[in-house]
Amino acid sequence: MANPAGHDTLREVDLDRFFRPETVAVIGASDTPGRPTTLNWGRIRAWAERAGARVYPVNPNKETVDGIPSLPSVLDVPDELDLAVILVADAMGALEQVIAKKARFAVLFAAGFSESGQEGEERQRRLEELLATGGVRLLGPNTNLNAFESFRDDLPGRPIALITQSGHQGRPVFQGQEIGIRFSHWAPTGNEADLESADFIRYFADRPGTGAIAAYIEGFKDGRTFQLAADHAARRGVPIVAVKVGRTDVGRSWAKSHTGHLTGADAVVSAVMRQYGVTRVDGLDELLDTAAMLARSAPPRGDGVCVYSISGGTSAHMADLLTAAGLRLPELTPDTQVALREWIPGYLRINNPVDNGGHPTGDWRGRRILDTIVADPNVDVLVVPITGAFPPMSDKLVDDLIAVAATTDKPVCVVWGSPAGTEPAYRDALLGSSLPVFRTFGNCVTAVRAFFEYHAFARRYRSGWGGSMDLGTSPGAGAARALLVPGAVLPEHRSKELLSAYGIRTSRDILCTSATEAVAAASSLGYPVVLKVAGAELPHKTDLGLVQVGVGSGREVREVYARMVERAAAATSTPIDGVLVCEQVSGGVETVVGIATDELFGPTVMFGIGGVSVEVYRDVTFRVPPFDRDEALRMVREVRGLPLLLGSRGRPAADLDAVVDVVMRVQQLARDLSGELAELDINPLVALPDGAVALDALATAR
């Protein structure tokens, strides 16, 4: 588990020496035909020579490998060693020699470590202990040799840097080179016994010109370092697009068996990605297309999308998908529409989407139309779906699109719908350009939405690390800490004391141990009141009939008190603390605010629509500290039940500022008591038009 109070900075790793070494040793190099090590030796040697490095084969059973003198041991390498690639079965023995050689980096190709069960986990533990004895940085184990691929430098646009925990899952992304998408690096991190995704995110974000980072992640070695790395990339303005497996129980179990990582609660993983502007996608095709869109496109000035095609049906289909995704299709300005009507017949739509009917595409009018659309101030992205190849008209359209894209920094997105993909207009022209090109409507919509969302995030982002959100320790932390008993559940009245120590408003409650006390308490609070049994062993009191709302008289208080005590005795053998007599708060919207301890990210703050059905509807969202007030407000606004808080069916709107105040105070509580508090549940927190009141709470100590 990540240490919630631990490291707040990323470690320094000079990965230049990994990707641009001066000396490389390949342990287990071979030139015997048909051997896997022969193929791997050849790949590494070619990569090292392209990098200008000296490469040494290490194999005690051979005098030469491909005509190069073979060394009996890595200790015999005559130079300082930057990179050692271990291909032999005795990985631990080879690594011991690499450490003795004081190499800077090593790659461990072998599998059979934490991805392979209990024995493998023990092997990886010993491996990590061995690494701790020396200064070598290790990539792997259970990794492929994809870092040593051939990277084309003849492709346009800013490059994508690729990180994958599975080499095979990265292959279809890396093959984007074959359709004109440029890549600069590929880091296959495997089990991450040492080097992890966060190290490479930081390195790639710091490299000038990186257009985007694409990642296939099965699990995080450390949730904290992922937060720090994502923050680093956000501050550098480098977008990250990621596939993160583990959405389902099956996916989580396979991710564990594959890489040995904890996968984390998926809802928390998604929340952390939103918090740091990481675009999460589902498919490898989406990963490639979205990363390419972000890498190739300048930041937008606004959020307007225009659809242009030769078919009304095509335009309507694409417009539906874009609108359903929450994207805005503004009307073109009157001046633009007047200009377009000169070239487009009067029976066709020109206000957005724009339908030219086909014929203008094949002559001089096509370019005039495109120039006019991209000049419109309401247009920030142009989407052009071409549902089929129809040369020569489609050839002319593609030429015009490429030409007009060269005159603007507004993205011109093209969807080439032909299933063949062999047409010269696509294969030679579009793929040789720097335009964002897609094969499906869905991937185009996903990428355009991610484009706007990322740049909206980038404009507002303020890092929470490095002291800018250091809230210090609350004056109430000492009083709150004194309430916690290790491993114990605090009953409601004690849990509310915890909240009060942090300035969170609670209902007025009086703990009573007799019916007579309860009547007196109700009279002092004013009728009607709420009665609840108080006891740590009764967390779900409503389900047990141990809560009564609307108690309106002294006689009724006595009756309810007696009935509740009897029911509590049947429900638990543990003595109860008494019965709480509580003021009844009417109106408002029931919400829930809480703290959970995530296995990867540590203390995690939850907000959602609350009440007795919270576990049914699960309309909740999460954030991991640190986050600011604006982020807390976004958290509140992203629940599906937001219309209830904004006022619906004539009801007054809730005081969102007060709700955000509670979320921020709960965050402070989570940070102050991260080592002592395991869980906190405020349900319901009633959001009123003029404040927010905690009506129930339950805290659990670690």
Side-chain angles (χ1 to χ4, degrees):
M1 186 187 77
N3 177 4
H7 51 282
D8 287 348
T9 57
L10 291 167
R11 63 182 178 182
E12 299 282 346
V13 182
D14 181 16
L15 286 168
D16 271 337
R17 281 292 194 175
F18 178 87
F19 287 110
R20 294 202 299 265
E22 294 182 2
T23 53
V24 178
V26 181
I27 302 171
S30 175
D31 55 6
T32 302
R35 292 285 300 277
T37 49
T38 300
L39 177 65
N40 289 331
W41 152 253
R43 176 194 294 185
I44 298 163
R45 176 189 177 187
W47 172 84
E49 289 175 348
R50 286 194 303 272
R54 297 181 298 278
V55 60
Y56 297 96
V58 177
N59 190 329
N61 300 316
K62 287 184 173 288
E63 292 186 3
T64 64
V65 176
D66 283 335
I68 301 175
S70 178
L71 302 176
S73 165
V74 71
L75 297 172
D76 297 313
V77 172
D79 306 299
E80 289 188 356
L81 185 57
D82 291 328
L83 174 62
V85 183
I86 301 172
L87 304 179
V88 296
D90 181 17
M92 301 289 276
L95 183 58
E96 287 178 351
Q97 290 193 334
V98 169
I99 292 172
K101 177 61 180 173
K102 300 187 183 302
R104 290 183 173 87
F105 292 94
V107 176
L108 188 47
F109 179 64
F113 289 84
S114 62
E115 82 286 354
S116 61
Q118 187 172 350
E119 289 186 8
E121 289 179 357
E122 177 60 24
R123 287 188 69 198
Q124 183 148 329
R125 186 189 63 78
R126 294 199 305 271
L127 172 67
E128 291 171 359
E129 290 175 352
L130 179 60
L131 287 169
T133 67
V136 67
R137 299 259 74 102
L138 179 74
L139 182 68
N142 187 31
T143 184
N144 285 340
L145 302 177
N146 307 116
F148 311 124
E149 297 285 350
S150 176
F151 295 87
R152 292 178 56 180
D153 57 8
D154 60 334
L155 299 175
R158 293 182 300 162
I160 297 169
L162 180 61
I163 302 169
T164 64
Q165 287 178 323
S166 165
H168 291 295
Q169 286 294 90
R171 178 62 54 184
V173 183
F174 179 71
Q175 284 177 313
Q177 285 195 136
E178 297 176 16
I179 56 171
I181 298 173
R182 186 179 166 201
F183 286 80
S184 61
H185 300 81
W186 185 354
T189 59
N191 284 13
E192 300 188 355
D194 179 32
L195 291 173
E196 58 181 303
S197 299
D199 294 313
F200 292 99
I201 289 172
R202 175 184 182 167
Y203 175 74
F204 295 146
D206 283 340
R207 287 191 60 79
T210 299
I213 298 169
Y216 172 85
I217 297 172
E218 294 175 344
F220 301 109
K221 180 179 179 181
D222 185 304
R224 188 78 154 194
T225 56
F226 177 75
Q227 285 181 265
L228 289 163
D231 165 76
H232 189 81
R235 287 187 283 114
R236 296 293 188 275
V238 177
I240 302 172
V241 185
V243 169
K244 168 63 178 66
V245 302
R247 288 190 184 275
T248 65
D249 290 340
V250 173
R252 283 190 291 273
S253 68
W254 274 100
K256 172 73 173 171
S257 65
H258 193 183
T259 65
H261 283 304
L262 297 169
T263 55
D266 191 67
V268 177
V269 169
S270 288
V272 169
M273 288 186 172
R274 287 195 302 276
Q275 190 172 332
Y276 290 97
V278 178
T279 299
R280 186 175 186 180
V281 296
D282 292 322
L284 299 176
D285 55 336
E286 293 174 298
L287 180 61
L288 175 62
D289 285 350
T290 304
M293 171 86 186
L294 288 164
R296 290 181 164 190
S297 305
R301 297 186 182 91
D303 63 353
V305 182
C306 180
V307 177
Y308 172 61
S309 83
I310 68 165
S311 162
T314 301
S315 296
H317 187 191
M318 178 58 82
D320 273 353
L321 295 174
L322 290 164
T323 303
L327 296 167
R328 190 173 69 91
L329 272 67
E331 284 212 354
L332 303 182
T333 65
D335 288 346
T336 297
Q337 294 186 49
V338 168
L340 292 176
R341 192 55 79 196
E342 293 183 32
W343 310 303
I344 297 175
Y347 58 86
L348 296 175
R349 179 170 177 160
I350 58 170
N351 58 340
N352 190 13
V354 177
D355 171 16
N356 74 11
H359 294 296
T361 301
D363 58 36
W364 59 272
R365 292 174 293 176
R367 175 63 190 273
R368 296 278 184 89
I369 291 169
L370 288 169
D371 283 333
T372 302
I373 293 172
V374 298
D376 190 295
N378 292 342
V379 176
D380 300 291
V381 170
L382 177 61
V383 175
V384 184
I386 304 172
T387 51
F390 43 96
M393 192 182 296
S394 57
D395 298 353
K396 177 69 166 57
L397 174 57
V398 166
D399 289 343
D400 286 344
L401 289 168
I402 294 171
V404 77
T407 69
T408 179
D409 59 359
K410 298 178 181 181
V412 177
C413 301
V414 180
V415 182
W416 189 262
S418 164
T422 57
E423 300 81 9
Y426 170 72
R427 179 64 56 182
D428 300 332
L430 276 178
L431 297 187
S433 73
S434 59
L435 273 65
V437 179
F438 307 90
R439 299 304 306 278
T440 67
F441 282 26
N443 279 16
C444 179
V445 171
T446 296
V448 172
R449 180 175 59 190
F451 170 72
F452 283 123
E453 288 179 348
Y454 172 76
H455 287 291
F457 160 83
R459 286 191 295 271
R460 70 171 186 258
Y461 184 68
R462 185 167 68 95
S463 175
W465 303 95
S468 62
M469 289 186 203
D470 185 1
L471 305 178
T473 301
S474 169
R481 188 173 286 112
L483 293 167
L484 299 175
V485 177
V489 177
L490 269 67
E492 178 181 340
H493 58 289
R494 295 298 183 199
S495 296
K496 284 181 174 177
E497 289 180 32
L498 188 75
L499 302 185
S500 296
Y502 277 79
I504 297 171
R505 179 183 166 191
T506 69
S507 58
R508 293 179 297 135
D509 306 339
I510 300 173
L511 180 64
C512 303
T513 56
S514 71
T516 300
E517 287 182 7
V519 171
S523 298
S524 67
L525 292 172
Y527 291 103
V529 293
V530 179
L531 265 64
K532 306 177 185 179
V533 170
E537 299 300 319
L538 298 166
H540 299 291
K541 296 185 288 289
T542 301
D543 296 343
L544 298 172
L546 303 179
V547 177
Q548 182 66 54
V549 178
V551 180
S553 68
R555 177 180 178 182
E556 191 176 356
V557 168
R558 290 182 181 278
E559 292 174 351
V560 172
Y561 186 99
R563 186 167 61 247
M564 284 189 171
V565 170
E566 183 178 347
R567 286 178 178 172
T572 178
S573 60
T574 303
I576 64 172
D577 297 326
V579 173
L580 280 176
V581 180
C582 314
E583 69 168 320
Q584 182 163 311
V585 178
S586 301
V589 179
E590 291 189 341
T591 69
V592 58
V593 181
I595 300 169
T597 302
D598 184 76
E599 59 187 352
L600 281 168
F601 295 102
T604 302
V605 178
M606 175 187 71
F607 172 81
I609 300 301
V612 295
S613 299
V614 63
E615 294 180 3
V616 176
Y617 297 113
R618 295 180 179 274
D619 186 12
V620 296
T621 188
F622 301 88
R623 290 296 187 274
V624 175
F627 55 87
D628 62 11
R629 189 177 181 84
D630 289 341
E631 191 65 30
L633 178 59
R634 279 187 289 276
M635 182 182 180
V636 170
R637 286 185 166 276
E638 70 186 28
V639 297
R640 296 189 303 277
L642 177 64
L644 297 173
L645 294 167
L646 296 180
S648 61
R649 301 178 69 90
R651 295 179 180 179
D655 185 348
L656 292 190
D657 282 340
V659 174
V660 170
D661 282 343
V662 173
V663 172
M664 292 299 290
R665 291 174 191 272
V666 167
Q667 178 192 197
Q668 179 72 68
L669 196 159
R671 295 174 73 174
D672 288 349
L673 306 182
S674 62
E676 295 103 327
L677 185 67
E679 294 181 5
L680 173 67
D681 188 46
I682 308 172
N683 183 26
L685 174 80
V686 175
L688 299 165
D690 59 349
V693 184
L695 301 189
D696 200 350
L698 194 69
T700 303
R702 292 172 73 89

